[in-house]
Amino acid sequence: RIFDVFKEVVFSSSMAEQLSYKGNAASRHKNYQQVPDENMGRESMQLYSTGLHKLNRDGTPLRDADDRLQKVYENYNVVSNSRLFTGFFYSLRRGNVEDIDWAAHSRVDPLAIGTDSHDLS
């Protein structure tokens, strides 16, 4: 199922580093306004749900009256979606897993969500 694949991707520490949403803070975090990093918000829409352009039922791109491709979403949709990918951090390291470094965090276990940094609005 696509939901299971997407869940594995979202909670993967490697993907969180690659798509820069690990440690992504909510816009209300620490008394200042910031927009969450949009990388994962945009990629999730492009790769796992809507795609870039509207399509006809036969799969061909839908075009407007001026023969331009029709976008599925605008930037405000990306910003809104990016709020979902806030508050993800490494899980604490377990003693029963071998690792190359001696860091306090785990790159083997799924990411954890910190409610202080997750956008709940």
Side-chain angles (χ1 to χ4, degrees), residues 109-121:
D109 294 322
L111 295 172
I113 298 177
T115 55
D116 289 346
S117 296
H118 184 66
D119 197 331
L120 301 172
S121 57

Side-chain angles (χ1 to χ4, degrees), residues 11 63-64 67 77 84 90 93 108 110:
F11 282 89
R63 297 185 177 271
D64 63 13
D67 203 35
N77 301 114
L84 295 169
Y90 290 121
R93 181 187 171 120
V108 175

